[in-house]
Amino acid sequence: RSAGPKASDHWRKDFTLCQGCWVLFSKGNYCPVCKRVYRDSDSDVKMVQCDACEGWTHIECGGVDICTYERMRVEEEPWGCPKCRGELDEASS
């Protein structure tokens, strides 16, 4: 399977990311917990932004239930991601 449309495209990060996903990952567009990349236009994906690092985390990965997520969309509520809370070890970062 090809890593991208160009012959020069190759797999990155231990063969887990194609060229397009690598670009997103390099920009920081990935969940710090599960490492899945996202596009800025992925408005249908439920994510919350960390106040400390300003990164985005899937609500499932951050332990945010749907009621809290809906409230956070309307009200300013401080939130820190698992990485900034020190809940992830360095090997998973």
Side-chain angles (χ1 to χ4, degrees):
R1 188 171 163 196
S2 174
K6 299 181 209 159
S8 61
D9 291 340
H10 56 279
W11 291 100
R12 309 287 184 121
K13 200 167 177 351
D14 297 328
F15 296 95
T16 59
L17 296 174
C18 67
Q19 186 67 29
C21 290
W22 174 251
V23 169
L24 292 170
F25 190 87
S26 297
K27 284 179 28 180
N29 284 27
Y30 64 92
C31 172
V33 178
C34 70
K35 305 291 191 258
R36 285 191 322 229
V37 298
Y38 60 86
R39 291 179 181 83
D40 292 330
S41 61
D42 287 345
S43 59
D44 59 327
V45 179
K46 292 177 176 60
M47 299 181 86
V48 290
Q49 187 175 29
C50 177
D51 293 323
C53 70
E54 298 185 353
W56 290 87
T57 302
H58 298 107
I59 63 170
E60 307 85 27
C61 297
V64 177
D65 62 64
I66 193 68
C67 293
T68 303
Y69 169 74
E70 293 298 336
R71 186 178 68 245
M72 290 171 75
R73 291 181 65 196
V74 178
E75 302 171 10
E76 277 291 315
E77 187 170 324
W79 186 79
C81 70
K83 182 176 180 181
C84 290
R85 292 189 310 245
E87 297 172 6
L88 299 179
D89 62 350
E90 287 301 313
S92 64
S93 298

